[in-house]
Amino acid sequence: VAREMEMFGDYFHTSATQTAALAKDFFKVKSTRIFDIRNADDIKRELAAGHPVLIPADGKLLKNPNFKNGGPIYHMLLIKGYLADGRWITNDPGTRLGKDYIYTNEVLMNAIHDWTGEAADGARVGLIVVP
């Protein structure tokens, strides 16, 4: 929190770009890369290359029944795989039941939006972090 306040003047919501900068600065990761998500295949390509994908999302659109108050207005979660029927396997830190949480393709793809400073209604992007 302290480092986010120093870098961004806020700690509550960080965009994909800010999260990438924080990963490089605070966690000293080797590299980060933000990529556009046009469809599910864009995410599947990254997963096939061995890159778990961190996504920003409108938390309310995720419709996770384990969230309180319908979910956060902005949220990030990790996509780590997918099933043959197109559902996504995630680690969702927004709930204690988030390990291996499954989202449908429709729900997840609809919810992916970066933070714009006011709402999670920005670009559909994914973030790759290389340790």
Side-chain angles (χ1 to χ4, degrees):
V1 170
R3 188 64 186 131
E4 287 176 286
M5 288 300 293
E6 289 173 22
M7 291 177 71
F8 314 124
D10 186 18
Y11 70 91
F12 201 64
H13 297 303
T14 54
S15 68
T17 300
Q18 290 172 317
T19 302
L22 183 64
K24 285 182 177 179
D25 178 80
F26 189 78
F27 295 107
K28 308 298 184 208
V29 300
K30 181 178 177 181
S31 68
T32 60
R33 178 172 48 86
I34 296 171
F35 67 99
D36 292 328
I37 297 173
R38 297 174 308 264
N39 55 51
D41 288 338
D42 293 328
I43 299 170
K44 289 178 180 178
R45 266 191 296 281
E46 294 295 338
L47 294 172
H51 305 143
V53 177
L54 185 63
I55 57 142
D58 179 325
K60 302 249 185 243
L61 294 178
L62 287 170
K63 301 176 184 174
N64 187 320
N66 300 304
F67 287 156
K68 293 181 181 175
N69 302 316
I73 60 170
Y74 181 63
H75 185 57
M76 283 201 179
L77 61 136
L78 184 75
I79 302 173
K80 60 183 188 176
Y82 58 94
L83 301 171
D85 64 5
R87 291 180 298 156
W88 299 100
I89 306 166
T90 70
N91 276 351
D92 190 333
T95 169
R96 62 183 170 78
L97 301 174
K99 182 179 182 201
D100 299 325
Y101 191 84
I102 304 294
Y103 283 102
T104 66
N105 184 60
E106 180 181 353
V107 166
L108 192 70
M109 295 302 290
N110 185 48
I112 297 173
H113 290 287
D114 203 3
W115 182 249
T116 61
E118 297 292 324
D121 58 2
R124 289 175 28 146
V125 296
L127 172 61
I128 303 299
V129 175
V130 180

